[in-house]
Amino acid sequence: MNNIRSKNLLFILFLCLWLIPFSFLFKDFFRLEGLVNFLDPRTWRILGFTFYQAILSSVLSLVITLIPAYFASRNEGIISKLLDNTIFIPFFFPPISAVMAFTLVYSSVGILSKLGFSFDIMYTLKAIILAHVFYNSPIFVRYISEALRRVPASFTETASIEGASKFKTFINVELPLIIPSISRALFLVFTYNFTSFAIVLSLGGVKYSTLEVAISKTLRSTLDFPKALSYALIQLIILTMLNIVISKFEPISFEYEPFSQKKSGYLSRTISAFYLIFEYSIVLVGIAASFFDFINMKFDISSFLHLFSKELNRVYPVVRSIINSFLVSAIAALFAVITAYFLLKNYSKLINVSVMATLGISSAFLGMALLYLNILFDIPFVLLLILGYFLITIPIAYSFLFQPVRGFDDKIIEAAKIDGANNLIIFLKIELPLLFSSFISAFLQIFAMIFGEFTISYTMQVRDYFPLASVVNYSLSSGRLYQEANALSGLNILLIFFIFYISNKFVKKSEI
């Protein structure tokens, strides 16, 4: 009985954490007559474009990753490892850094133009689609390749013995079995494209706007909360419906069979190599921009040094923003990991559905609710930012820790209880040492995600009150200090890449 009561209490607390910021917003601005904005032709144009670019980006991402994902599932060399590691891009690569690197490569004065390729796609739909493919297609690589690895080798061997070609085996045997994994990846990629913010805002220009961008622009230009709320409600309803539909697709599980490695042909290797070049070229250009001037094609660290000068920091608080980002990321990540642990220890279907459902809540919507709390109660931005990042990363920490915590051997805990150990002693003496690598790994990965986050801080307009690295980076670019913006972007990428590398070490250690 006590166990059920504690689970219900935890569920109510979790629900309250989300409801409190939004309750004030709804109380003061939700009016039935406000729903008339749903009928505004402009709203439908924005909604139509949001759907259009999300569908186009998602389908293209799926198409170009089928062969690399297949290659990664059948080979274990350096190309496969690099393909697997592209997963750090959608989850950790700062969106503003992606925008900077894209501009360096694809603008009219970019690297491709200097090499003689006419490839100026900036501020067009092509730029948005291509950036989304770069950013989110690695999700398909990871989901599809892992699903293919789980297909029992005996299935494909039987098809081969009966004379089926590799292509027919894939279409008739493997593809039907991995459809649930493709569906889940498609939902994730579509959601990221649907709620895309920094890429549409920076690469699309004034012509294009998604619902997420419309929410933020409405607040920044007119502080029209009712109108922004109507955009947020449309987005929330659509993503919730999609989440419900996609939750019906459960991955198919098989009895374990040893992995059967089958070499792929030169064509799939070549296509995979080109895909890697596309993905990693953006990353490498982003890093190199911190010490190489791509406009004048020369090594130059003066912009990097200028980042830390007093005169620049008087206008663009770079140093302060980095310190603030460290502070907010560390605290929010710590709370997210602790909360995810307690939610998993008190696991129930209700808690599980509630936690994962919050993935569909847009960051701009949450930023809007937090900004209103600041206006109402003058709550410091630092506390609101920590709350916002904490809320959006709980489901991610929950996913990272799901297997280690839920798969923990209960017999060890039961034996400790028989010996008289209480819950605190069990945690300190047994669970913490055994789960330490998983905790650290989850903390570092969430820290990296928060450090590069842009939507909440931009929507809350914290630039002048509590600057964060991503917003200051965007301000440098908007102020046409491109070299300094690229230098800060490169610094952020290096930092996040280092954290990702360390966290991967802890992940491997926890799997031993």
Side-chain angles (χ1 to χ4, degrees):
M1 183 64 76
N2 285 337
N3 194 29
I4 294 174
R5 193 176 298 161
S6 66
K7 286 182 181 181
N8 289 338
L9 181 64
L10 198 63
F11 169 72
I12 292 169
L13 284 173
F14 177 73
L15 212 58
C16 286
L17 282 174
W18 275 100
L19 288 178
I20 287 171
F22 290 112
S23 59
F24 292 99
L25 199 62
F26 275 86
K27 181 174 75 67
D28 292 347
F29 296 110
F30 181 75
R31 303 284 183 274
L32 285 178
E33 54 268 28
L35 298 179
V36 74
N37 189 45
F38 285 16
L39 305 176
D40 188 336
R42 184 172 183 273
T43 303
W44 284 97
R45 278 200 303 276
I46 293 172
L47 178 61
F49 176 73
T50 306
F51 260 111
Y52 179 64
Q53 61 83 22
I55 292 171
L56 209 58
S57 302
S58 304
V59 171
L60 195 58
S61 297
L62 173 61
V63 170
I64 73 159
T65 50
L66 277 175
I67 291 177
Y70 187 84
F71 180 90
S73 72
R74 292 291 181 269
N75 298 271
E76 291 187 326
I78 183 68
I79 294 180
S80 294
K81 286 181 182 173
L82 289 172
L83 285 169
D84 281 339
N85 283 333
T86 56
I87 194 65
F88 91 90
I89 293 172
F91 293 110
F92 307 111
F93 198 68
I96 289 300
S97 299
V99 169
M100 301 287 169
F102 241 80
T103 307
L104 283 171
V105 176
Y106 295 107
S107 71
S108 58
V109 292
I111 297 170
L112 286 178
S113 293
K114 288 183 185 301
L115 293 174
F117 298 98
S118 179
F119 212 83
D120 182 16
I121 59 170
M122 298 302 292
Y123 311 115
T124 66
L125 178 61
K126 290 176 187 172
I128 295 173
I129 302 297
L130 197 62
H132 282 164
V133 170
F134 156 75
Y135 215 73
N136 297 320
S137 64
I139 294 173
F140 279 119
V141 174
R142 173 59 67 91
Y143 272 68
I144 295 174
S145 61
E146 287 192 351
L148 284 169
R149 288 185 184 114
R150 289 197 299 269
V151 174
S154 57
F155 285 26
T156 55
E157 286 169 1
T158 302
S160 179
I161 291 169
E162 291 179 357
S165 65
K166 283 184 180 179
F167 181 72
K168 282 190 175 178
T169 301
F170 176 74
I171 296 295
N172 297 323
V173 178
E174 294 172 294
L175 186 58
L177 296 174
I178 65 171
I179 286 294
S181 294
I182 293 177
S183 303
R184 296 178 80 81
L186 184 60
F187 168 70
L188 206 54
V189 171
F190 180 85
T191 300
Y192 283 162
N193 291 332
F194 196 84
T195 57
S196 178
F197 182 75
I199 286 172
V200 177
L201 181 74
S202 304
L203 298 180
V206 293
K207 272 178 67 180
Y208 303 103
S209 183
T210 56
L211 286 170
E212 193 85 338
V213 174
I215 292 169
S216 184
K217 278 186 176 176
T218 303
L219 287 177
R220 291 181 71 89
S221 58
T222 61
L223 271 180
D224 189 343
F225 277 92
K227 192 173 184 180
L229 183 60
S230 67
Y231 290 140
L233 280 176
I234 294 171
Q235 184 163 277
L236 180 65
I237 291 167
I238 291 169
L239 291 179
T240 303
M241 288 170 63
L242 277 173
N243 197 9
I244 291 170
V245 171
I246 216 70
S247 64
K248 307 292 181 189
F249 292 89
E250 288 294 330
I252 300 173
S253 57
F254 306 98
E255 287 189 15
Y256 174 76
E257 287 187 17
F259 176 67
S260 176
Q261 188 179 344
K262 296 174 183 176
K263 298 285 183 184
S264 298
Y266 286 109
L267 181 60
S268 60
R269 183 182 295 273
T270 305
I271 292 173
S272 301
F274 272 110
Y275 175 75
L276 283 179
I277 290 170
F278 169 64
E279 291 290 324
Y280 282 99
S281 62
I282 303 294
V283 178
L284 293 175
V285 165
I287 294 172
S290 59
F291 55 84
F292 190 83
D293 179 355
F294 282 99
I295 305 298
N296 299 306
M297 299 306 281
K298 63 177 184 180
F299 285 97
D300 183 2
I301 61 168
S302 60
S303 305
F304 185 82
L305 298 175
H306 193 212
L307 283 179
F308 304 98
S309 68
K310 285 184 180 177
E311 60 175 2
L312 182 77
N313 276 269
R314 272 196 288 272
V315 184
Y316 298 95
V318 174
V319 175
R320 193 175 148 213
S321 73
I322 293 173
I323 295 170
N324 287 346
S325 293
F326 260 99
L327 175 75
V328 169
S329 304
I331 295 174
L334 180 65
F335 280 122
V337 170
I338 293 171
T339 305
Y341 167 78
F342 279 108
L343 289 169
L344 287 165
K345 287 296 287 182
N346 293 279
Y347 176 85
S348 71
K349 281 190 177 179
L350 187 61
I351 287 178
N352 190 55
V353 170
S354 305
V355 171
M356 299 315 290
T358 58
L359 273 174
I361 298 175
S362 92
S363 296
F365 189 20
L366 179 58
M368 179 171 71
L370 296 172
L371 175 62
Y372 190 55
L373 283 182
N374 172 265
I375 293 171
L376 280 181
F377 306 110
D378 201 24
I379 300 174
F381 277 113
V382 59
L383 296 180
L384 294 172
L385 284 166
I386 290 171
L387 175 63
Y389 292 140
F390 163 68
L391 287 175
I392 63 167
T393 52
I394 285 177
I396 299 160
Y398 184 89
S399 301
F400 287 159
L401 291 175
F402 190 91
Q403 187 57 38
V405 175
R406 294 295 303 157
F408 197 85
D409 192 349
D410 287 335
K411 291 177 185 172
I412 302 174
I413 294 176
E414 290 302 323
K417 284 182 178 175
I418 291 171
D419 289 340
N422 58 32
N423 288 338
L424 181 62
I425 295 295
I426 290 172
F427 175 75
L428 292 175
K429 300 289 185 184
I430 298 173
E431 290 183 298
L432 183 58
L434 293 176
L435 293 173
F436 185 73
S437 296
S438 299
F439 286 143
I440 294 294
S441 165
F443 170 80
L444 289 173
Q445 293 187 40
I446 291 168
F447 177 94
M449 293 173 76
I450 296 173
F451 197 91
E453 205 280 340
F454 177 66
T455 308
I456 287 182
S457 50
Y458 182 82
T459 304
M460 290 178 67
Q461 307 171 34
V462 297
R463 157 74 171 79
D464 297 327
Y465 309 101
F466 194 81
L468 296 180
S470 58
V471 175
V472 171
N473 205 163
Y474 181 78
S475 299
L476 285 168
S477 176
S478 301
R480 298 183 180 277
L481 294 172
Y482 298 121
Q483 291 304 318
E484 285 75 7
N486 288 330
L488 180 57
S489 172
L491 184 66
N492 289 336
I493 296 171
L494 279 174
L495 175 70
I496 287 171
F497 194 79
F498 177 71
I499 293 171
F500 176 75
Y501 175 78
I502 298 293
S503 70
N504 256 356
K505 291 287 182 189
F506 279 102
V507 169
K508 287 177 183 172
K509 195 175 176 182
S510 67
E511 291 172 349
I512 294 174

